[in-house]
Amino acid sequence: MKNIRILIVALATFALGSCSDFLDLEHESNISADNFNKNAEELYASLVGCYNGMQEALYREWAMTELRSDNTRIYARTSTTAIFDVIRQLDLSTIQPINYLVDEYWAGNYHNIERCNTVIRDYAVVDDPDLRAQYKAEAMFIRSYHYFNLVRLFGGVFLVTKPITANEARYMQRSNPETIYDQIEGDLKEIVENDMLPDVRNGEELGRITLPAAKALLAKVYMTRYPVGSDEYAKAKPLLEEVITAAGNPQSVSDLVPFADIFDITKEMNKEIIFAIRYKAGNLGIGSPFGNEFAPANSGTNVINGSGRSYNYPSTSIIDAFNANPSDKRKDVSLAEKYYNAQSNTWVDDDETTQCRFVKKYLSPVETVNDGESDWPVIRLADVLLLYAEVTNELEGPTAEAVKYVDMIRERAGLEPLEAGKKANSYYFRTAIRNERRLELAFENQRWFDLLRWGIAVQRITEYYNQEYIYTNLPNGYKPTIVEWQTVLPIPLNVMNINPELTQNYGY
């Protein structure tokens, strides 16, 4: 799957005006509402386009998630670069509907939703019943993944489940969040209950969606949508158990992939990875940009060829969280606080004067700028183990099995098992799980969604604004604040301008 170029570009018939401007669905990989895949080969090419299309939305996802959390921040107090102001808006919770990073993220998701809708519409052209169901399920999973992100970030959005004409799209209204969740949940339940996907992938299929990935995503939907302790919330637990069993039912740290190996480009799609958005270097148009995006600005070739941009800049808060346990192996894999300048034979390590920190998880050698090899994990085993510990704790308290999984992850990181006091009751164990999720999944676009799911985003970011040194020393004495409505992104202005009857999210 990884070494296939975006075949859909060559096979699609393009028609201007076939998709709505306000959804911004016109794209080189789109098939219009009037054009159809005629056979299994064309449908497979369209499905490849769905996989590759996830890269477009992911490109700006860090700014919608990690940057708005306590894990990363703006890279300087002031800057003359064109992108600085829009990054600062997201970081300081002063987001405007005209913010083009939000607009690009919205458009990227809807571009790929349209690709998925085309596959779902045309899947019957495949003669083999198992393959036919599989192609449909893969497109449904990807569409659910996009809608799950959109509904958590924007609230009510446009529910588009089939290719539509420009006129249909222009007068469409936003669906409420419950309707969006109904669609996500229904699609994922159809996949799971009908066993529409294989349990494992091998060979050339490695990296394609599996049934355990669908179960894990559905479990996360249950834990996000429903009140803690409810019957619907509890449905996540058996799903997570099945995912853990499919992953080999790990019983000790020796059953886990070493943490550094998870992100090693020579060991991609290791057994830790349940689903990842894949990248391929080699000037194919599907390389990862994040090595350059996250490396320090003005660092020349000292960190990565072509220098960096200092986006998604690690916060002092996340560094302090790692430093609370100096033996934690995850820190050096996840981030760096300095780099060596070979030209001046000095370490660049003064964050007060120079951008010197950077995220390392997606750093790989590149010959061409923005053309890295590193995949981006979306669901991995540690995420599932910690979710299982969380849901078990909320339903039953800190059981031996739940504690075992947390301790396994800690042992892999080089840490001691949890102290007795941290697993004495549900409250203390909940705190321990949340801390472990932050460190284990740092910079994987999970933190903001966790804060929302736990209902503590405003509380935690308020504390963060009051503690992080850069926010206490902004120009003109500005002090950032956040209230509940600011946890939801604005509908992009380009979208609002097409249909004046659309309602904007409160506060914008």
Side-chain angles (χ1 to χ4, degrees):
M1 191 71 190
K2 184 165 184 174
N3 58 7
I4 299 176
R5 296 199 61 180
I6 307 177
L7 301 178
I8 192 67
V9 175
L11 295 175
T13 301
F14 312 129
L16 293 177
S18 63
C19 302
S20 161
D21 290 335
F22 81 76
L23 291 179
D24 196 19
L25 295 176
E26 292 180 0
H27 187 269
E28 63 182 1
S29 296
N30 284 352
I31 297 177
S32 79
D34 298 323
N35 292 313
F36 293 81
N37 294 287
K38 302 178 185 65
N39 52 53
E41 290 73 21
E42 289 187 8
L43 192 77
Y44 177 71
S46 292
L47 183 60
V48 172
C50 296
Y51 276 96
N52 289 325
M54 285 188 286
Q55 294 181 1
E56 184 180 2
L58 182 63
Y59 181 50
R60 296 304 192 189
E61 191 172 291
W62 60 270
M64 310 299 119
T65 54
E66 289 295 288
L67 183 64
R68 297 168 69 208
S69 79
D70 49 358
N71 281 354
T72 65
R73 62 168 176 82
I74 50 175
Y75 48 84
R77 293 184 180 86
T78 61
S79 174
T80 59
T81 59
I83 198 173
F84 179 77
D85 183 58
V86 291
I87 291 178
R88 179 170 54 185
Q89 286 179 25
L90 287 152
D91 187 48
L92 302 185
S93 303
T94 59
I95 311 160
Q96 301 298 312
I98 202 170
N99 188 297
Y100 72 80
L101 296 184
V102 176
D103 186 59
E104 288 178 6
Y105 181 73
W106 172 282
N109 278 278
Y110 274 107
H111 285 161
N112 212 37
I113 287 170
E114 179 69 359
R115 298 182 186 102
C116 294
N117 286 339
T118 300
V119 172
I120 294 166
R121 180 194 64 186
D122 297 344
Y123 78 101
V125 301
V126 180
D127 293 330
D128 183 283
D130 292 335
L131 197 60
R132 182 167 64 237
Q134 185 180 137
Y135 286 177
K136 179 185 179 184
E138 289 174 87
M140 289 167 65
F141 176 97
I142 295 171
R143 184 175 70 181
S144 296
Y145 158 79
H146 288 304
Y147 271 124
F148 189 36
N149 288 342
L150 286 170
V151 73
R152 289 183 291 176
L153 291 170
F154 292 92
V157 292
F158 302 106
L159 183 57
V160 187
T161 58
K162 63 180 182 179
I164 56 177
T165 65
N167 192 57
E168 288 174 319
R170 186 166 291 112
Y171 298 102
M172 181 174 285
Q173 297 297 311
R174 297 167 61 190
S175 296
N176 63 52
E178 289 304 304
T179 301
I180 304 297
Y181 271 117
D182 284 345
Q183 182 68 46
I184 297 167
E185 193 174 318
D187 282 351
L188 293 174
K189 285 172 67 176
E190 180 180 344
I191 296 169
V192 170
E193 292 173 0
N194 293 289
D195 291 325
M196 295 171 69
L197 291 166
D199 286 330
V200 296
R201 301 280 195 172
N202 296 298
E204 293 183 357
E205 291 193 347
L206 192 63
R208 288 173 63 180
I209 299 158
T210 62
L211 193 61
K215 291 177 179 178
L217 187 59
L218 180 56
K220 191 169 287 191
V221 170
Y222 284 139
M223 293 178 69
T224 300
R225 181 182 187 185
Y226 296 108
V228 172
S230 67
D231 289 344
E232 296 298 318
Y233 175 90
K235 289 181 179 179
K237 184 179 177 182
L239 287 169
L240 294 169
E241 289 173 335
E242 291 174 16
V243 176
I244 293 168
T245 298
N249 194 23
Q251 296 298 307
S252 69
V253 70
S254 63
D255 296 325
L256 301 180
V257 175
F259 190 77
D261 290 355
I262 298 170
F263 308 95
D264 188 332
I265 62 172
T266 69
K267 301 174 182 177
E268 293 179 321
M269 296 310 301
N270 52 72
K271 64 180 182 179
E272 173 81 14
I273 302 299
I274 295 172
F275 181 67
I277 295 176
R278 309 210 64 190
Y279 291 88
K280 177 70 174 175
N283 293 310
L284 301 173
I286 50 175
S288 169
F290 299 111
N292 290 102
E293 293 276 280
F294 300 162
N298 306 311
S299 57
T301 59
N302 292 297
V303 175
I304 190 171
N305 185 41
S307 193
R309 303 179 185 93
S310 280
Y311 302 159
N312 216 24
Y313 197 77
S315 66
T316 301
S317 176
I318 189 64
I319 291 171
D320 289 345
F322 276 116
N323 288 345
N325 295 287
S327 61
D328 196 326
K329 300 175 183 178
R330 294 172 296 195
K331 180 184 177 184
D332 288 340
V333 176
S334 301
L335 67 91
E337 296 182 73
K338 60 184 180 179
Y339 68 91
Y340 187 72
N341 187 321
Q343 290 72 46
S344 61
N345 295 319
T346 59
W347 284 97
V348 180
D349 58 3
D350 185 358
D351 180 61
E352 290 286 337
T353 60
T354 310
Q355 285 90 59
C356 57
R357 303 175 182 173
F358 57 100
V359 173
K360 291 175 63 178
K361 279 185 173 178
Y362 315 103
L363 184 67
S364 61
V366 300
E367 294 185 9
T368 304
V369 174
N370 295 340
D371 190 36
E373 183 74 16
S374 298
D375 296 339
W376 190 292
V378 175
I379 304 170
R380 59 183 179 90
L381 182 56
D383 182 12
V384 170
L385 294 174
L386 290 170
L387 287 173
Y388 176 84
E390 180 180 333
V391 71
T392 300
N393 184 55
E394 299 299 341
L395 296 173
E396 307 170 32
T399 67
E401 188 172 37
V403 172
K404 176 186 69 177
Y405 289 141
V406 175
D407 281 343
M408 282 168 52
I409 292 170
R410 288 176 58 83
E411 185 178 353
R412 177 171 69 176
L415 304 179
E416 295 294 323
L418 286 173
E419 300 170 3
K422 293 184 178 180
K423 54 188 178 185
N425 57 45
S426 294
Y427 174 82
Y428 291 114
F429 191 44
R430 180 185 303 121
T431 301
I433 293 168
R434 291 179 178 183
N435 181 66
E436 216 58 49
R437 283 189 65 82
R438 186 186 186 191
L439 299 176
E440 176 72 23
L441 304 172
F443 316 123
E444 296 179 37
N445 296 351
Q446 300 274 6
R447 177 64 171 172
W448 177 251
F449 289 137
D450 279 347
L451 294 176
L452 291 177
R453 180 164 58 84
W454 298 328
I456 62 171
V458 170
Q459 173 191 338
R460 176 59 202 134
I461 300 307
T462 297
E463 294 170 351
Y464 171 60
Y465 283 155
N466 291 330
Q467 296 165 351
E468 187 83 2
Y469 77 90
I470 194 169
Y471 303 123
T472 61
N473 293 278
L474 291 172
N476 303 316
Y478 178 75
K479 303 294 183 183
T481 59
I482 183 172
V483 293
E484 196 65 38
W485 65 264
Q486 290 169 304
T487 63
V488 180
L489 293 171
I491 305 301
L493 184 62
N494 287 337
V495 175
M496 299 297 299
N497 285 342
I498 296 298
N499 186 348
E501 295 182 3
L502 290 177
T503 57
Q504 179 59 275
N505 283 328
Y506 174 81
Y508 296 106

